[in-house]
Amino acid sequence: MTGLSDSFQRPINYLRISVTDRCNLRCIYCMPAEGVDLMSHSDILSYEEIYTVARAAAELGINKVRLTGGEPLVRAGLPELVRLIDSIEDIDDISLTTNGTFLAQYAATLKQAGLQRVNVSLDTLKPDRFNQITRRGNLEDTLEGIEVAKAAGLNPVKINVVVMAGINDDEIPDFAAKTVRDGWHVRFIELMPLNGDEPITSKLVSVSEMRKRIESLGKLEPHQVNVGNGPAKYYRLPDATGSIGFITPVTEHFCYKCNRLRLTADGKLRPCLLSEEEIDLREPLRSGAESEELKKLIKEATARKPLSHHLAEGNKHKGRPFSQVGG
Ligand code: SAM
């Protein structure tokens, strides 16, 4: 298994790769309405460069890769990157986080290329509200993406719902009901105070409050989910074939079991999503660094992982936009 562990003895085996800072949506909790400054194309790592980093990371013990963004499916030729990463022997799990708007178009090709599973971000089941939250999206596209991804054999397809008081928290029972009616795997995520609109960031609904609202549908029983082994705690409603997960980055952080490194679209390795510390890999890559040098830098980033983030102390995270570092 992994030879990589940080200075707090946490094993590190998971690399999240942001393939682009561009996104076709402008979700209110993630980006300001006017968007954010974009990187130039030459700043962004090529697929070949990402592959080189992933290969070096795999030699150190990384065996799970997730592609994210921005919106990863706005970058042309994503299946090609999946194919490259799938060719790395020691990587046995490749997943994608997407808003789903282009998923119907690419799901089958991604699956053929080696993608195993997908998380789709979806915060409402109401068309008008979808448009308000994403500021430009179309609910039907994402719903179609979910169905096509399932039919293509991507498994599991998990639905990530960021819950916001007064905006979509009234839909918690509707999403929960989908786990019974349609076998959906739904994960409710606490809103983190990031770079979105200022008033939005005070709309945290705690997981204990979410649970209360779901238990009007039936008792939640703890449920074991074998795929992913991420930060969610899983439950099931009576007679559900799907599952309900809760992710609590704010009220009960899970940093103690953090197993991740992040590669930003412009080639910086980030030990922690919520810390601004970064180690540049792009310059060494473009100056012809060999695998050994990259591995040294990856180990350095690992050693610099902080013990935990500080959102629970009421800090608003002010740093590079989520879309650049890969949520
Ligand atoms: N575009 C892709 C998508 O929508 O899934 C990938 C990038 S997006 C930044 C990744 C995830 O971060 C999404 O599930 C999104 O809901 C989540 N996210 C963004 N801002 C957040 C915030 N303030 N609090 C909690 N989750 C957030």
Side-chain angles (χ1 to χ4, degrees), residues 18 23 34 53 60 73-74 77-78 127 132 154 163 165 238 247 258 282 302 327:
S18 174
C23 189
E34 66 279 12
V53 174
L60 286 171
L73 290 176
V74 301
L78 194 72
Q132 281 159 16
L154 292 166
V163 180
I247 304 184
C258 183
R282 190 182 64 201
T302 305

Side-chain angles (χ1 to χ4, degrees), residues 16 22-25 27 29-31 67-72 97-100 119-123 160-162 189-196 201 249 322-323 326-327:
R16 287 176 80 104
R22 270 97 174 139
C23 189
N24 57 319
L25 305 182
C27 297
Y29 51 81
C30 188
M31 271 200 213
L67 304 177
T68 179
E71 170 48 42
T97 296
T98 172
N99 61 39
N119 290 358
V120 179
S121 306
L122 176 64
D123 305 320
N160 284 346
V161 185
V162 176
I189 303 175
E190 286 178 349
L191 178 68
M192 292 185 279
L194 300 180
N195 311 73
T201 56
F322 226 38
S323 52

Side-chain angles (χ1 to χ4, degrees), residues 211 214-215 218-226 232-246:
R211 285 191 59 144
I214 294 170
E215 297 214 284
K219 190 167 163 34
L220 282 171
E221 296 289 354
H223 173 62
Q224 187 70 31
V225 168
N226 295 324
K233 289 190 184 140
Y234 287 98
Y235 298 84
R236 222 166 218 189
L237 279 170
D239 302 324
T241 52
S243 59
I244 294 177
F246 296 106

Side-chain angles (χ1 to χ4, degrees), residues 13 21 28 30 50 64 72 78 81 83 97-98 116 156 170 176 191 199 208 255 276 279 288-289 296-297 317:
N13 70 332
D21 61 334
I28 50 178
C30 188
I50 294 175
K64 289 167 57 144
L78 194 72
L81 177 63
R83 206 168 291 117
T97 296
T98 172
Q116 279 144 310
D170 57 330
L191 178 68
S208 54
C255 304
E276 289 310 288
I279 289 179
K296 207 168 123 235
L297 293 167
H317 175 69

